[in-house]
Amino acid sequence: MGALRTTLSCAGAAVAVALTPVAGGTFAEEGDKAVAVAPTAPRPGDDVRVTVDGCDGRTGTAASDAFVAEARLTGTAADGRLSGETRVRSGARPGPYPVRVRCDGVPERRAAVTVAGARADAGSPPATPTAPVPAGGGGLARAEAEAEADAAAPGAAQTVTGLVLAGVAAAVVVLVPRTARRRRARQR
């Protein structure tokens, strides 16, 4: 049941991302190709979405000194639109930062993101990481994976069935050539 729940959650997230408008972003135009960073003026610790139009492949990256880690851009080659998310460093100072975008089939492109001032509660320590954090769900994901593995392991009935089928296969391997040799000997 955990795998079904995870699959439905991922499908719902993919639909939400696909239907999310990119309006309100900073654009850097190159002909009919564009790079958008949204929101327009994120604060330190805010998540940002980078969207690129006109790529030939399915993957790309967007990097900036303002970001905690480079955004991994994904999408479909059919529409040429790639997008991904990252977070603004909690220690980023206000001001513009260049964004370098790389994707298959086009030269490196540049955009900009302007980091706004810190929040009013800037006196408290930042609640966001200053370096990439390994993702994966921690112990809960591990426990669900182990439970699914246990559920997928063969029971006694499946083990007996497998052994019977293996015995039948072994008998066929031994008896069929012997029978064929006997037939050939009778035909001579």
Side-chain angles (χ1 to χ4, degrees), residues 1 6 17 28 48 53-54 57 59-60 92 101 111 121 136 158 175-177:
M1 189 65 181
T6 302
V17 166
V48 294
D53 285 325
T59 61
V101 177
D121 62 344
Q158 288 90 359
L175 296 177
V176 168

Side-chain angles (χ1 to χ4, degrees), residues 67-69 87 89-90 128-134:
F67 300 158
V68 171
R87 180 167 286 172
R89 286 184 305 111
S90 59
T128 59
T130 57
V133 176

Side-chain angles (χ1 to χ4, degrees), residues 64-106:
S64 174
D65 290 338
F67 300 158
V68 171
E70 70 180 20
R72 297 193 189 286
L73 307 174
T74 59
T76 61
D79 66 0
R81 175 172 279 188
L82 304 180
S83 64
E85 291 186 354
T86 188
R87 180 167 286 172
V88 176
R89 286 184 305 111
S90 59
R93 294 194 173 156
Y97 289 84
V99 178
R100 296 166 307 283
V101 177
R102 292 186 183 111
C103 61
D104 296 334
V106 295

